[in-house]
Amino acid sequence: MNRLDGKVALVTGAGRRNGLGEAICIRLAEAGARIVVTDIGQPEGHLSSGNIGSAGEMAAVADGIRSAGGEAVVAPMDVRDETQVIGAIERAVSAYGQLDILVNNAGIGFLMKPLVEMTADQWRTVLDVNLTGAFLCTKHAAARMIRQGHGGRIINIASQAAKSGHRHMAAYTASKHGMVGLTRSSAMEFGPHGITVNAVCPNHVTTSLGAVQNEYFARLNGQTVEEYLVAMRARIPLQRVGLPADTAGAVAFLCSDEAAYITGEAMNVSGGVEMH
Ligand SMILES: NC(=O)c1ccc[n+]([C@@H]2O[C@H](COP(=O)([O-])OP(=O)(O)OC[C@H]3O[C@@H](n4cnc5c(N)ncnc54)[C@H](O)[C@@H]3O)[C@@H](O)[C@H]2O)c1
């Protein structure tokens, strides 16, 4: 395993059991990194409280890392709130003295509807969390890494929706395409500081976010969720949907010394269903 001993990693949107963020935290902790688990932390009305992690779940993710022998602290943070973003980075530095890795994982994908029915408010909500949130975290984490002067890693969890269009998901798809633009531009700016910036683009993973999408599209197609998933698996060259561990493994690789010369990439982790 590529080791990350001594590194400090802050992962956003990681306070959800069985989410990609939890798997990323566990994988980086197994490699020796000290983890700052962040999430919005409490229900918030207009984001739909059923689709965001609670403070209890976030604490459980950190407890799981510690009981497996790793190091973790919790820092509640809404990625849309710049003051909270600064506060979470300060928490990382006060707990562990530095910040080496940022994983922009927080995202919402539950606002699915035909584009002509989407309100400007719903559009902005998705863009605010998925894209502006990643910008704010990148801005403050990179500033810290530049001050530290020993490089760093920024990984953006984009999506298959960063590469291809998806019906009824215009805002989500635009936000994820935007994340690739953010990845490439920040890779240009931060390269001279030894900071690499890459995106990981998973296909479908049945997390809480993924399950909501399954239900919506199965209903749209007049299928059961199982019928929908059977058809999806048939389209994937490796014949299965993604697992949180698939994304976590790619993140760990991009954080490692093995990936030191890779930056500005948007890596598909999609079982071959997305190839460009
Ligand atoms: N599951 C999939 O099929 C899939 C595929 C490709 C990409 N992704 C991306 O992976 C990332 C993780 O998604 P997941 O599938 O694990 O879903 P998830 O719902 O389990 O995790 C998303 C997390 O983001 C958090 N979050 C939402 N709004 C936030 C805010 N304003 N501030 C801070 N945190 C906030 C939620 O509380 C939740 O813990 C997302 O960016 C998603 O778009 C998921």
Side-chain angles (χ1 to χ4, degrees), residues 164-232:
S164 295
H166 292 268
R167 66 190 171 137
H168 292 206
M169 295 186 73
Y172 184 82
T173 304
S175 73
K176 295 299 184 178
H177 276 67
M179 253 187 152
V180 174
L182 175 67
T183 301
R184 292 177 177 151
S185 300
S186 33
M188 298 284 293
E189 286 194 33
F190 304 149
H193 300 281
I195 301 165
T196 67
V197 189
N198 292 289
V200 172
C201 301
N203 68 323
H204 172 75
V205 187
T206 306
T207 57
S208 59
L209 179 152
V212 173
Q213 294 177 347
N214 289 344
E215 279 162 30
Y216 179 89
F217 287 109
R219 203 166 47 246
L220 194 68
N221 294 347
Q223 295 168 306
T224 64
V225 169
E226 189 45 35
E227 284 166 348
Y228 173 72
L229 284 170
V230 166
M232 184 191 289

Short mmCIF file of all heavy atoms in Angstrom, two decimals, residues 164-232:
data_model
loop_
_atom_site.label_atom_id
_atom_site.label_comp_id
_atom_site.label_asym_id
_atom_site.label_seq_id
_atom_site.Cartn_x
_atom_site.Cartn_y
_atom_site.Cartn_z
N SER A 164 -20.37 13.31 -19.31
CA SER A 164 -21.49 13.11 -20.25
C SER A 164 -22.74 13.78 -19.70
O SER A 164 -22.86 13.99 -18.49
CB SER A 164 -21.78 11.61 -20.42
OG SER A 164 -20.68 10.97 -21.02
N GLY A 165 -23.69 14.05 -20.59
CA GLY A 165 -24.96 14.63 -20.16
C GLY A 165 -25.88 13.60 -19.53
O GLY A 165 -25.77 12.40 -19.81
N HIS A 166 -26.76 14.07 -18.66
CA HIS A 166 -27.74 13.19 -18.02
C HIS A 166 -29.07 13.91 -17.95
O HIS A 166 -29.14 15.03 -17.42
CB HIS A 166 -27.28 12.79 -16.61
CG HIS A 166 -26.07 11.90 -16.64
ND1 HIS A 166 -26.16 10.53 -16.64
CD2 HIS A 166 -24.75 12.19 -16.70
CE1 HIS A 166 -24.94 10.01 -16.68
NE2 HIS A 166 -24.08 11.00 -16.73
N ARG A 167 -30.12 13.29 -18.47
CA ARG A 167 -31.43 13.93 -18.44
C ARG A 167 -31.91 14.12 -17.00
O ARG A 167 -31.58 13.31 -16.12
CB ARG A 167 -32.45 13.13 -19.26
CG ARG A 167 -32.74 11.79 -18.66
CD ARG A 167 -33.55 10.90 -19.60
NE ARG A 167 -33.58 9.57 -19.01
CZ ARG A 167 -34.66 8.79 -18.95
NH1 ARG A 167 -35.79 9.18 -19.51
NH2 ARG A 167 -34.61 7.61 -18.39
N HIS A 168 -32.67 15.18 -16.80
CA HIS A 168 -33.26 15.54 -15.50
C HIS A 168 -32.19 15.86 -14.45
O HIS A 168 -32.47 15.92 -13.27
CB HIS A 168 -34.19 14.43 -14.96
CG HIS A 168 -35.43 14.27 -15.78
ND1 HIS A 168 -36.60 13.77 -15.27
CD2 HIS A 168 -35.69 14.53 -17.09
CE1 HIS A 168 -37.52 13.74 -16.23
NE2 HIS A 168 -36.98 14.19 -17.34
N MET A 169 -30.95 16.02 -14.88
CA MET A 169 -29.87 16.31 -13.93
C MET A 169 -29.00 17.44 -14.45
O MET A 169 -27.77 17.39 -14.33
CB MET A 169 -29.03 15.06 -13.68
CG MET A 169 -29.82 13.95 -12.99
SD MET A 169 -28.80 12.54 -12.55
CE MET A 169 -27.90 13.20 -11.19
N ALA A 170 -29.62 18.46 -15.04
CA ALA A 170 -28.84 19.52 -15.68
C ALA A 170 -27.96 20.24 -14.66
O ALA A 170 -26.78 20.50 -14.93
CB ALA A 170 -29.76 20.51 -16.37
N ALA A 171 -28.51 20.55 -13.49
CA ALA A 171 -27.72 21.31 -12.50
C ALA A 171 -26.57 20.45 -11.97
O ALA A 171 -25.43 20.90 -11.88
CB ALA A 171 -28.62 21.76 -11.34
N TYR A 172 -26.89 19.20 -11.64
CA TYR A 172 -25.86 18.29 -11.12
C TYR A 172 -24.75 18.10 -12.17
O TYR A 172 -23.56 18.19 -11.87
CB TYR A 172 -26.50 16.94 -10.77
CG TYR A 172 -25.57 15.93 -10.13
CD1 TYR A 172 -25.29 15.99 -8.77
CD2 TYR A 172 -24.99 14.91 -10.89
CE1 TYR A 172 -24.45 15.05 -8.18
CE2 TYR A 172 -24.16 13.98 -10.31
CZ TYR A 172 -23.90 14.04 -8.94
OH TYR A 172 -23.05 13.11 -8.37
N THR A 173 -25.16 17.87 -13.41
CA THR A 173 -24.21 17.61 -14.49
C THR A 173 -23.36 18.85 -14.75
O THR A 173 -22.14 18.76 -14.94
CB THR A 173 -24.97 17.18 -15.75
OG1 THR A 173 -25.77 16.04 -15.41
CG2 THR A 173 -24.04 16.81 -16.89
N ALA A 174 -24.00 20.02 -14.73
CA ALA A 174 -23.24 21.26 -14.93
C ALA A 174 -22.25 21.47 -13.78
O ALA A 174 -21.10 21.87 -13.99
CB ALA A 174 -24.19 22.45 -15.03
N SER A 175 -22.69 21.16 -12.55
CA SER A 175 -21.79 21.36 -11.40
C SER A 175 -20.59 20.43 -11.49
O SER A 175 -19.47 20.82 -11.17
CB SER A 175 -22.55 21.14 -10.08
OG SER A 175 -22.83 19.76 -9.85
N LYS A 176 -20.81 19.21 -11.96
CA LYS A 176 -19.70 18.24 -12.02
C LYS A 176 -18.77 18.54 -13.20
O LYS A 176 -17.55 18.38 -13.10
CB LYS A 176 -20.25 16.82 -12.08
CG LYS A 176 -21.01 16.39 -10.81
CD LYS A 176 -20.11 16.42 -9.57
CE LYS A 176 -20.81 15.92 -8.32
NZ LYS A 176 -19.94 15.89 -7.15
N HIS A 177 -19.33 18.97 -14.33
CA HIS A 177 -18.46 19.46 -15.42
C HIS A 177 -17.64 20.65 -14.91
O HIS A 177 -16.45 20.77 -15.21
CB HIS A 177 -19.27 19.89 -16.64
CG HIS A 177 -19.64 18.77 -17.58
ND1 HIS A 177 -20.52 17.75 -17.26
CD2 HIS A 177 -19.25 18.53 -18.86
CE1 HIS A 177 -20.65 16.93 -18.29
NE2 HIS A 177 -19.88 17.38 -19.28
N GLY A 178 -18.28 21.52 -14.15
CA GLY A 178 -17.58 22.69 -13.59
C GLY A 178 -16.44 22.28 -12.68
O GLY A 178 -15.38 22.93 -12.67
N MET A 179 -16.63 21.20 -11.96
CA MET A 179 -15.56 20.73 -11.06
C MET A 179 -14.31 20.34 -11.84
O MET A 179 -13.19 20.50 -11.35
CB MET A 179 -16.05 19.48 -10.32
CG MET A 179 -16.36 19.73 -8.86
SD MET A 179 -16.70 18.17 -8.07
CE MET A 179 -16.20 18.61 -6.41
N VAL A 180 -14.51 19.84 -13.05
CA VAL A 180 -13.33 19.48 -13.86
C VAL A 180 -12.62 20.76 -14.30
O VAL A 180 -11.38 20.82 -14.29
CB VAL A 180 -13.74 18.59 -15.06
CG1 VAL A 180 -12.55 18.35 -15.98
CG2 VAL A 180 -14.28 17.25 -14.55
N GLY A 181 -13.37 21.79 -14.63
CA GLY A 181 -12.75 23.08 -14.95
C GLY A 181 -11.99 23.65 -13.76
O GLY A 181 -10.87 24.18 -13.91
N LEU A 182 -12.58 23.52 -12.58
CA LEU A 182 -11.91 23.97 -11.35
C LEU A 182 -10.62 23.16 -11.14
O LEU A 182 -9.57 23.72 -10.78
CB LEU A 182 -12.87 23.78 -10.16
CG LEU A 182 -12.32 24.07 -8.77
CD1 LEU A 182 -12.00 25.56 -8.61
CD2 LEU A 182 -13.33 23.65 -7.69
N THR A 183 -10.72 21.86 -11.38
CA THR A 183 -9.55 20.98 -11.22
C THR A 183 -8.40 21.43 -12.13
O THR A 183 -7.26 21.59 -11.70
CB THR A 183 -9.95 19.53 -11.58
OG1 THR A 183 -11.00 19.12 -10.73
CG2 THR A 183 -8.77 18.57 -11.46
N ARG A 184 -8.74 21.65 -13.39
CA ARG A 184 -7.68 21.98 -14.36
C ARG A 184 -7.08 23.35 -14.08
O ARG A 184 -5.86 23.54 -14.17
CB ARG A 184 -8.24 21.91 -15.79
CG ARG A 184 -8.59 20.48 -16.18
CD ARG A 184 -9.21 20.40 -17.55
NE ARG A 184 -9.46 19.00 -17.89
CZ ARG A 184 -10.43 18.59 -18.70
NH1 ARG A 184 -11.25 19.46 -19.27
NH2 ARG A 184 -10.58 17.31 -18.95
N SER A 185 -7.94 24.32 -13.76
CA SER A 185 -7.42 25.67 -13.50
C SER A 185 -6.58 25.69 -12.24
O SER A 185 -5.52 26.32 -12.20
CB SER A 185 -8.58 26.66 -13.37
OG SER A 185 -9.33 26.67 -14.55
N SER A 186 -7.05 25.01 -11.19
CA SER A 186 -6.25 25.05 -9.97
C SER A 186 -4.97 24.24 -10.12
O SER A 186 -3.95 24.59 -9.52
CB SER A 186 -7.06 24.67 -8.72
OG SER A 186 -8.04 23.75 -8.95
N ALA A 187 -5.00 23.19 -10.94
CA ALA A 187 -3.74 22.46 -11.20
C ALA A 187 -2.70 23.38 -11.85
O ALA A 187 -1.51 23.32 -11.53
CB ALA A 187 -4.01 21.25 -12.10
N MET A 188 -3.17 24.25 -12.75
CA MET A 188 -2.25 25.21 -13.40
C MET A 188 -1.66 26.16 -12.36
O MET A 188 -0.46 26.44 -12.35
CB MET A 188 -3.00 26.06 -14.43
CG MET A 188 -3.61 25.30 -15.58
SD MET A 188 -2.41 24.77 -16.79
CE MET A 188 -1.88 26.31 -17.48
N GLU A 189 -2.52 26.68 -11.49
CA GLU A 189 -2.05 27.69 -10.52
C GLU A 189 -1.19 27.11 -9.41
O GLU A 189 -0.24 27.74 -8.96
CB GLU A 189 -3.25 28.41 -9.88
CG GLU A 189 -3.91 29.37 -10.83
CD GLU A 189 -4.88 30.32 -10.11
OE1 GLU A 189 -4.63 30.69 -8.95
OE2 GLU A 189 -5.89 30.67 -10.74
N PHE A 190 -1.52 25.90 -8.97
CA PHE A 190 -0.85 25.38 -7.77
C PHE A 190 0.32 24.47 -8.10
O PHE A 190 1.09 24.10 -7.20
CB PHE A 190 -1.85 24.63 -6.87
CG PHE A 190 -3.06 25.45 -6.47
CD1 PHE A 190 -4.29 24.85 -6.25
CD2 PHE A 190 -2.96 26.83 -6.31
CE1 PHE A 190 -5.40 25.61 -5.89
CE2 PHE A 190 -4.06 27.60 -5.96
CZ PHE A 190 -5.29 26.98 -5.75
N GLY A 191 0.47 24.10 -9.38
CA GLY A 191 1.59 23.23 -9.77
C GLY A 191 2.94 23.77 -9.30
O GLY A 191 3.75 23.01 -8.73
N PRO A 192 3.21 25.06 -9.50
CA PRO A 192 4.52 25.58 -9.07
C PRO A 192 4.76 25.46 -7.56
O PRO A 192 5.89 25.57 -7.11
CB PRO A 192 4.45 27.06 -9.50
CG PRO A 192 3.48 27.09 -10.62
CD PRO A 192 2.45 26.05 -10.28
N HIS A 193 3.68 25.21 -6.80
CA HIS A 193 3.83 25.04 -5.34
C HIS A 193 3.88 23.56 -4.95
O HIS A 193 3.83 23.23 -3.76
CB HIS A 193 2.67 25.71 -4.61
CG HIS A 193 2.58 27.18 -4.87
ND1 HIS A 193 3.41 28.10 -4.25
CD2 HIS A 193 1.81 27.89 -5.73
CE1 HIS A 193 3.13 29.32 -4.70
NE2 HIS A 193 2.16 29.22 -5.60
N GLY A 194 3.95 22.70 -5.95
CA GLY A 194 4.02 21.26 -5.63
C GLY A 194 2.70 20.67 -5.18
O GLY A 194 2.66 19.60 -4.58
N ILE A 195 1.62 21.38 -5.48
CA ILE A 195 0.28 20.89 -5.11
C ILE A 195 -0.36 20.31 -6.37
O ILE A 195 -0.51 21.02 -7.37
CB ILE A 195 -0.60 22.02 -4.56
CG1 ILE A 195 0.05 22.65 -3.32
CG2 ILE A 195 -2.01 21.51 -4.25
CD1 ILE A 195 -0.57 24.00 -2.92
N THR A 196 -0.72 19.02 -6.33
CA THR A 196 -1.42 18.45 -7.47
C THR A 196 -2.92 18.53 -7.22
O THR A 196 -3.38 18.48 -6.08
CB THR A 196 -1.02 16.97 -7.73
OG1 THR A 196 -1.48 16.16 -6.65
CG2 THR A 196 0.49 16.84 -7.89
N VAL A 197 -3.67 18.69 -8.31
CA VAL A 197 -5.13 18.77 -8.22
C VAL A 197 -5.71 17.84 -9.28
O VAL A 197 -5.42 17.98 -10.47
CB VAL A 197 -5.65 20.20 -8.47
CG1 VAL A 197 -7.14 20.29 -8.16
CG2 VAL A 197 -4.87 21.23 -7.65
N ASN A 198 -6.49 16.87 -8.84
CA ASN A 198 -7.09 15.91 -9.76
C ASN A 198 -8.54 15.66 -9.38
O ASN A 198 -8.92 15.83 -8.21
CB ASN A 198 -6.32 14.58 -9.72
CG ASN A 198 -4.92 14.73 -10.30
OD1 ASN A 198 -4.76 14.88 -11.51
ND2 ASN A 198 -3.91 14.71 -9.44
N ALA A 199 -9.31 15.22 -10.36
CA ALA A 199 -10.70 14.83 -10.09
C ALA A 199 -10.83 13.32 -10.26
O ALA A 199 -10.11 12.70 -11.05
CB ALA A 199 -11.64 15.54 -11.07
N VAL A 200 -11.74 12.75 -9.49
CA VAL A 200 -12.11 11.33 -9.65
C VAL A 200 -13.57 11.32 -10.10
O VAL A 200 -14.40 12.03 -9.53
CB VAL A 200 -11.94 10.57 -8.32
CG1 VAL A 200 -12.49 9.15 -8.43
CG2 VAL A 200 -10.46 10.54 -7.92
N CYS A 201 -13.85 10.53 -11.11
CA CYS A 201 -15.20 10.53 -11.71
C CYS A 201 -15.83 9.15 -11.60
O CYS A 201 -15.69 8.32 -12.51
CB CYS A 201 -15.11 10.95 -13.18
SG CYS A 201 -14.38 12.59 -13.41
N PRO A 202 -16.53 8.90 -10.48
CA PRO A 202 -17.17 7.59 -10.33
C PRO A 202 -18.46 7.51 -11.17
O PRO A 202 -19.12 8.52 -11.39
CB PRO A 202 -17.53 7.53 -8.83
CG PRO A 202 -16.95 8.76 -8.21
CD PRO A 202 -16.74 9.75 -9.31
N ASN A 203 -18.81 6.27 -11.56
CA ASN A 203 -20.17 6.07 -12.09
C ASN A 203 -21.08 5.78 -10.91
O ASN A 203 -20.76 6.12 -9.77
CB ASN A 203 -20.20 4.96 -13.15
CG ASN A 203 -19.94 3.59 -12.56
OD1 ASN A 203 -19.13 3.46 -11.64
ND2 ASN A 203 -20.60 2.58 -13.06
N HIS A 204 -22.18 5.12 -11.14
CA HIS A 204 -23.16 4.94 -10.05
C HIS A 204 -22.62 4.08 -8.90
O HIS A 204 -22.08 3.00 -9.11
CB HIS A 204 -24.44 4.28 -10.59
CG HIS A 204 -25.37 3.93 -9.47
ND1 HIS A 204 -26.11 4.89 -8.82
CD2 HIS A 204 -25.61 2.76 -8.83
CE1 HIS A 204 -26.79 4.31 -7.85
NE2 HIS A 204 -26.51 3.02 -7.84
N VAL A 205 -22.81 4.57 -7.69
CA VAL A 205 -22.53 3.84 -6.46
C VAL A 205 -23.80 3.94 -5.61
O VAL A 205 -24.34 5.04 -5.45
CB VAL A 205 -21.35 4.46 -5.67
CG1 VAL A 205 -20.98 3.57 -4.48
CG2 VAL A 205 -20.14 4.71 -6.57
N THR A 206 -24.27 2.82 -5.07
CA THR A 206 -25.53 2.88 -4.32
C THR A 206 -25.28 3.35 -2.88
O THR A 206 -25.36 2.60 -1.93
CB THR A 206 -26.29 1.55 -4.38
OG1 THR A 206 -26.45 1.19 -5.76
CG2 THR A 206 -27.67 1.66 -3.77
N THR A 207 -24.98 4.63 -2.75
CA THR A 207 -24.93 5.32 -1.45
C THR A 207 -26.34 5.88 -1.19
O THR A 207 -27.26 5.63 -1.97
CB THR A 207 -23.94 6.49 -1.54
OG1 THR A 207 -24.39 7.33 -2.61
CG2 THR A 207 -22.53 6.01 -1.83
N SER A 208 -26.47 6.72 -0.15
CA SER A 208 -27.79 7.33 0.06
C SER A 208 -28.15 8.20 -1.14
O SER A 208 -29.29 8.18 -1.61
CB SER A 208 -27.79 8.15 1.36
OG SER A 208 -26.81 9.15 1.30
N LEU A 209 -27.17 8.93 -1.66
CA LEU A 209 -27.40 9.78 -2.84
C LEU A 209 -27.75 8.90 -4.05
O LEU A 209 -28.69 9.17 -4.79
CB LEU A 209 -26.13 10.61 -3.10
CG LEU A 209 -26.03 11.57 -4.27
CD1 LEU A 209 -25.07 12.70 -3.92
CD2 LEU A 209 -25.57 10.89 -5.55
N GLY A 210 -26.98 7.83 -4.24
CA GLY A 210 -27.20 6.93 -5.38
C GLY A 210 -28.55 6.26 -5.32
O GLY A 210 -29.21 6.07 -6.36
N ALA A 211 -29.01 5.89 -4.12
CA ALA A 211 -30.28 5.18 -3.97
C ALA A 211 -31.45 6.08 -4.39
O ALA A 211 -32.42 5.62 -5.02
CB ALA A 211 -30.46 4.71 -2.54
N VAL A 212 -31.36 7.37 -4.06
CA VAL A 212 -32.42 8.32 -4.44
C VAL A 212 -32.49 8.42 -5.97
O VAL A 212 -33.57 8.43 -6.57
CB VAL A 212 -32.15 9.71 -3.81
CG1 VAL A 212 -33.13 10.76 -4.33
CG2 VAL A 212 -32.23 9.64 -2.30
N GLN A 213 -31.31 8.43 -6.61
CA GLN A 213 -31.28 8.49 -8.08
C GLN A 213 -31.88 7.22 -8.69
O GLN A 213 -32.63 7.28 -9.66
CB GLN A 213 -29.84 8.72 -8.56
CG GLN A 213 -29.31 10.09 -8.13
CD GLN A 213 -27.86 10.33 -8.50
OE1 GLN A 213 -27.15 9.41 -8.88
NE2 GLN A 213 -27.43 11.57 -8.39
N ASN A 214 -31.55 6.06 -8.10
CA ASN A 214 -32.10 4.79 -8.61
C ASN A 214 -33.62 4.82 -8.59
O ASN A 214 -34.28 4.42 -9.55
CB ASN A 214 -31.64 3.61 -7.74
CG ASN A 214 -30.18 3.31 -7.93
OD1 ASN A 214 -29.56 3.76 -8.88
ND2 ASN A 214 -29.62 2.54 -7.01
N GLU A 215 -34.16 5.28 -7.45
CA GLU A 215 -35.62 5.28 -7.30
C GLU A 215 -36.26 6.22 -8.32
O GLU A 215 -37.25 5.89 -8.96
CB GLU A 215 -36.01 5.72 -5.89
CG GLU A 215 -35.90 4.59 -4.89
CD GLU A 215 -35.84 5.08 -3.46
OE1 GLU A 215 -36.42 6.15 -3.16
OE2 GLU A 215 -35.20 4.40 -2.63
N TYR A 216 -35.64 7.39 -8.49
CA TYR A 216 -36.20 8.38 -9.41
C TYR A 216 -36.20 7.85 -10.86
O TYR A 216 -37.21 7.89 -11.56
CB TYR A 216 -35.39 9.69 -9.33
CG TYR A 216 -35.90 10.76 -10.26
CD1 TYR A 216 -36.89 11.65 -9.85
CD2 TYR A 216 -35.42 10.88 -11.56
CE1 TYR A 216 -37.38 12.63 -10.70
CE2 TYR A 216 -35.90 11.85 -12.42
CZ TYR A 216 -36.87 12.73 -11.99
OH TYR A 216 -37.35 13.69 -12.85
N PHE A 217 -35.04 7.34 -11.30
CA PHE A 217 -34.94 6.93 -12.71
C PHE A 217 -35.68 5.62 -12.98
O PHE A 217 -36.19 5.43 -14.09
CB PHE A 217 -33.47 6.87 -13.14
CG PHE A 217 -32.89 8.25 -13.31
CD1 PHE A 217 -31.96 8.74 -12.43
CD2 PHE A 217 -33.33 9.08 -14.33
CE1 PHE A 217 -31.44 10.02 -12.55
CE2 PHE A 217 -32.83 10.38 -14.48
CZ PHE A 217 -31.88 10.85 -13.59
N ALA A 218 -35.76 4.74 -11.99
CA ALA A 218 -36.56 3.52 -12.16
C ALA A 218 -38.01 3.91 -12.39
O ALA A 218 -38.68 3.42 -13.32
CB ALA A 218 -36.41 2.61 -10.94
N ARG A 219 -38.50 4.85 -11.55
CA ARG A 219 -39.89 5.31 -11.68
C ARG A 219 -40.11 5.97 -13.05
O ARG A 219 -41.08 5.70 -13.75
CB ARG A 219 -40.20 6.30 -10.55
CG ARG A 219 -41.66 6.44 -10.24
CD ARG A 219 -41.95 7.15 -8.92
NE ARG A 219 -41.19 8.36 -8.72
CZ ARG A 219 -40.26 8.52 -7.79
NH1 ARG A 219 -39.97 7.54 -6.95
NH2 ARG A 219 -39.60 9.66 -7.68
N LEU A 220 -39.14 6.79 -13.47
CA LEU A 220 -39.24 7.48 -14.77
C LEU A 220 -39.33 6.48 -15.93
O LEU A 220 -40.04 6.69 -16.90
CB LEU A 220 -38.00 8.39 -14.93
CG LEU A 220 -38.03 9.44 -16.02
CD1 LEU A 220 -39.06 10.52 -15.69
CD2 LEU A 220 -36.65 10.08 -16.17
N ASN A 221 -38.57 5.38 -15.80
CA ASN A 221 -38.53 4.37 -16.87
C ASN A 221 -39.66 3.35 -16.75
O ASN A 221 -39.75 2.45 -17.58
CB ASN A 221 -37.21 3.57 -16.80
CG ASN A 221 -35.99 4.42 -17.10
OD1 ASN A 221 -36.13 5.53 -17.58
ND2 ASN A 221 -34.82 3.89 -16.81
N GLY A 222 -40.47 3.43 -15.69
CA GLY A 222 -41.51 2.42 -15.47
C GLY A 222 -40.92 1.07 -15.08
O GLY A 222 -41.47 0.01 -15.41
N GLN A 223 -39.78 1.09 -14.36
CA GLN A 223 -39.11 -0.15 -13.94
C GLN A 223 -39.11 -0.23 -12.42
O GLN A 223 -39.27 0.77 -11.73
CB GLN A 223 -37.64 -0.14 -14.40
CG GLN A 223 -37.42 -0.16 -15.90
CD GLN A 223 -35.96 0.16 -16.24
OE1 GLN A 223 -35.42 1.17 -15.81
NE2 GLN A 223 -35.34 -0.71 -17.02
N THR A 224 -38.86 -1.46 -11.92
CA THR A 224 -38.52 -1.55 -10.50
C THR A 224 -37.05 -1.13 -10.36
O THR A 224 -36.31 -1.09 -11.36
CB THR A 224 -38.65 -3.00 -9.98
OG1 THR A 224 -37.68 -3.81 -10.68
CG2 THR A 224 -40.06 -3.55 -10.20
N VAL A 225 -36.65 -0.83 -9.12
CA VAL A 225 -35.25 -0.45 -8.91
C VAL A 225 -34.34 -1.59 -9.35
O VAL A 225 -33.30 -1.36 -9.98
CB VAL A 225 -35.01 -0.07 -7.43
CG1 VAL A 225 -33.52 0.07 -7.13
CG2 VAL A 225 -35.72 1.25 -7.11
N GLU A 226 -34.73 -2.83 -9.06
CA GLU A 226 -33.88 -3.96 -9.45
C GLU A 226 -33.78 -4.07 -10.97
O GLU A 226 -32.69 -4.29 -11.51
CB GLU A 226 -34.40 -5.27 -8.81
CG GLU A 226 -33.46 -6.48 -8.97
CD GLU A 226 -31.96 -6.19 -8.69
OE1 GLU A 226 -31.63 -5.37 -7.81
OE2 GLU A 226 -31.11 -6.80 -9.40
N GLU A 227 -34.89 -3.87 -11.67
CA GLU A 227 -34.84 -3.92 -13.15
C GLU A 227 -33.93 -2.80 -13.68
O GLU A 227 -33.15 -3.01 -14.62
CB GLU A 227 -36.25 -3.74 -13.73
CG GLU A 227 -37.11 -4.97 -13.62
CD GLU A 227 -38.60 -4.70 -13.87
OE1 GLU A 227 -39.02 -3.50 -13.92
OE2 GLU A 227 -39.35 -5.67 -13.99
N TYR A 228 -34.04 -1.65 -13.06
CA TYR A 228 -33.20 -0.52 -13.47
C TYR A 228 -31.72 -0.86 -13.28
O TYR A 228 -30.88 -0.60 -14.14
CB TYR A 228 -33.60 0.71 -12.65
CG TYR A 228 -32.73 1.91 -12.85
CD1 TYR A 228 -32.76 2.65 -14.03
CD2 TYR A 228 -31.86 2.32 -11.84
CE1 TYR A 228 -31.94 3.76 -14.20
CE2 TYR A 228 -31.05 3.43 -12.00
CZ TYR A 228 -31.10 4.14 -13.19
OH TYR A 228 -30.28 5.23 -13.36
N LEU A 229 -31.40 -1.48 -12.13
CA LEU A 229 -30.00 -1.81 -11.84
C LEU A 229 -29.48 -2.94 -12.74
O LEU A 229 -28.31 -2.92 -13.15
CB LEU A 229 -29.84 -2.19 -10.36
CG LEU A 229 -29.86 -0.99 -9.40
CD1 LEU A 229 -29.94 -1.46 -7.95
CD2 LEU A 229 -28.64 -0.10 -9.60
N VAL A 230 -30.34 -3.88 -13.07
CA VAL A 230 -29.93 -4.97 -13.98
C VAL A 230 -29.53 -4.36 -15.33
O VAL A 230 -28.49 -4.69 -15.91
CB VAL A 230 -31.06 -6.01 -14.14
CG1 VAL A 230 -30.79 -6.94 -15.34
CG2 VAL A 230 -31.22 -6.84 -12.86
N ALA A 231 -30.36 -3.44 -15.83
CA ALA A 231 -30.06 -2.79 -17.12
C ALA A 231 -28.79 -1.96 -17.02
O ALA A 231 -27.97 -1.94 -17.95
CB ALA A 231 -31.25 -1.92 -17.53
N MET A 232 -28.61 -1.30 -15.88
CA MET A 232 -27.39 -0.50 -15.70
C MET A 232 -26.14 -1.40 -15.71
O MET A 232 -25.16 -1.11 -16.40
CB MET A 232 -27.45 0.29 -14.39
CG MET A 232 -26.26 1.21 -14.20
SD MET A 232 -26.16 1.88 -12.54
CE MET A 232 -27.53 3.01 -12.55
#
